[in-house]
Amino acid sequence: MSRYEKDAFGTVELPDEVLYGVQTRRSADNLSFSGRTLAAYPGFIAALSEVKRAAARANERAGHLPRALAQAIERACDEVRLGCHDGQFIVDPFHGGGGIGSNMNMNEVVANLANEMLDGQIGEYAPVHPADHVNASQSTSDACHTALRIAVVRDGKKLLAELARLIQAMETKRSELAEVPTITRTCMQDGMPDTLGTMFGGYAHGLKRRTERLAVSVESLNAVNLGGTVIGSGVGAPDAYRERVLGVLQEVTGLRLRHREDLYDAAQNIDDLAAVSAELALLSSVLIKIAKDLRLLSSGPEAGFGELRLPAVQAGSSFFPGKINPVVPETLVQCGLQVIGLDRTVQGALEHGELNLNVWEGFAGFNVLDMIGMLERASGKFTDLCVIGIEANNARCQELSRTFIPAVVALKEKHGYSQVGQWLKEKSKDEVRAIYEREVGRG
C-alpha cells in the first residue's frame, strides 16, 4: 500500500508504513552518492532527537507550543533516541544543502510518530507538523550543528577510554620489559644499549600527550549555537525560547553544554570540529609510528630484528606454511592513514565555508565521527590482540646488547670521543673489542 505526499515540486509516492515524508524522499533520491545513510550514525540520530525534544520542551515552557503537542513530540523523540526507528533515516549524510535533508528526515519521522500517538495519520502532518512544530524556533544550521557536536563529544569519550586502555597496556609492558637489555638504533644504525622497557615508556607518554590534547579539543565542542537559528542572529526563535533552550538541552542530554561566545562566529566557522580532526590526525601519526616500530622489532623470525614476539592471531600467508605476519599493527597503520586522509577533507570543509554560513559543516562532522569510530575500533584491537600479549626474545636482545657499537659507546665514556675515534681509525674491530673487554670488563 502507498500514500502520496505533495510539496511545491509535485507529488511523491511513499510506502504507507514509512515514517519519513516527501522532503526526506527527495533528498535521498536527489543527493545520495556515498552509499551510506544516516542510519550508519545512530549517535547523531540520538543527539538530534534530543535537540528536537529540548526544543519542544523549551517552546512549550515559553508558551509557543501547546502542551499536548510538545509532550507527543517528546515521546516520539525518546523512541528515536532509543534507536527504535534508525532504519527510517535514509538520507545520505553527505548530501548538499547544508544538512537540510538530515534535519527534515528527523522532523518528518518525529512528526509522524507524534501524530500516531495523537490518533492522527502518517503523512497527514496534523496535529503535529514537521516544520511548524517539530522544527519550531530552529533552523537546520543550529539544530544539526548542536547535534553533531553532542555526537562527537560522546563518541570522543569512548575513544579516549580505549586510548586509556592502550596507554595502560604500554605502561604494563614497560614494567615487564624494564630489565631486558637490547640495542637502540638511530638513523636505522646501531646505537647505545638500553632496555626494551624504555621504548614502551616512550610510547605511553607520547600517547598520553596526544590524548590530553584530544580531550581538550573534544571538550570545546560542548559550546553550541542552539537558538542562533540560521546565521547566529536568532531570528525566528522567540526570546523566551532562546532563554530556556540551552538549559533544557542540558536536562535532556546530561551534558555540560554552553553557548558559543559569538553565535555568528559559530555559523560561519567550524574550526572547533577541524581542531578535533587535526588532533585525531596527530594521534594517528603517533599510532602509525608505534605500529611500524613493532613490525620492525618483531621482524624475522631468522633474518629480521627479532627482538619482540607479537601474538599470533591468524595465518599470515596463503603461500608460506606457518608464516605469521604482524597483521594487527598493519591494520592500525591503515586506519591511521585513512584518518589522516579524512582530516584533509575536514580541513577543506573549513576552508570552503563562505560568508555567513558554512554549509559543509555536516560533511566535516560526519567525517570526524568516522575518524573517531575507526580509531576506537582499531586501537581496541591493537591493545587486546597485540600489545597485551607482546613478549621479548630474551636471547636475541642479549645478543644485540653485546654488539660492537655498545662497546664503542662504553669506551667513549671512559676515554673520550677523540681517543676512541683514533683507535677505530688505526686498529681492527677485534683489537678495539679487546680493549673494551680488558678495560670495561664485559664479555
Side-chain angles (χ1 to χ4, degrees), residues 73-121:
I73 291 171
E74 286 205 49
R75 291 198 303 273
C77 288
D78 203 39
E79 283 192 15
V80 172
R81 180 185 64 83
L82 293 172
C84 301
H85 306 287
D86 284 354
Q88 298 294 321
F89 292 88
I90 64 167
V91 168
D92 189 318
F94 299 117
H95 63 272
I100 188 171
S102 300
N103 192 38
M104 287 308 300
N105 198 163
M106 178 64 69
N107 290 336
E108 289 177 341
V109 168
V110 169
N112 278 319
L113 283 170
N115 284 324
E116 280 193 308
M117 294 171 184
L118 296 171
D119 298 323
Q121 296 295 313

Side-chain angles (χ1 to χ4, degrees), residues 286-345:
V286 172
L287 289 170
I288 288 170
K289 191 270 183 189
I290 294 170
K292 289 176 65 179
D293 282 357
L294 296 186
R295 287 179 81 238
L296 280 174
L297 292 170
S298 65
S299 60
E302 296 180 13
F305 286 16
E307 294 166 66
L308 296 177
R309 296 189 185 95
L310 305 187
V313 297
Q314 63 187 65
S317 174
S318 62
F319 182 85
F320 297 103
K323 189 171 187 286
I324 303 299
N325 289 335
V327 291
V328 177
E330 288 174 348
T331 298
L332 184 62
V333 169
Q334 291 182 91
C335 173
L337 292 173
Q338 185 74 1
V339 167
I340 290 168
L342 289 178
D343 173 56
R344 183 65 203 107
T345 298

Side-chain angles (χ1 to χ4, degrees), residues 219-231:
E219 194 284 330
S220 74
L221 299 187
N222 282 299
V224 299
N225 72 342
L226 191 61
T229 62
V230 181
I231 62 168

Side-chain angles (χ1 to χ4, degrees), residues 135-156:
N135 201 59
S137 306
Q138 307 148 62
S139 76
T140 293
S141 56
D142 68 336
C144 289
H145 168 110
T146 301
L148 277 169
R149 282 155 180 77
I150 290 171
V152 172
V153 166
R154 287 173 172 162
D155 284 5

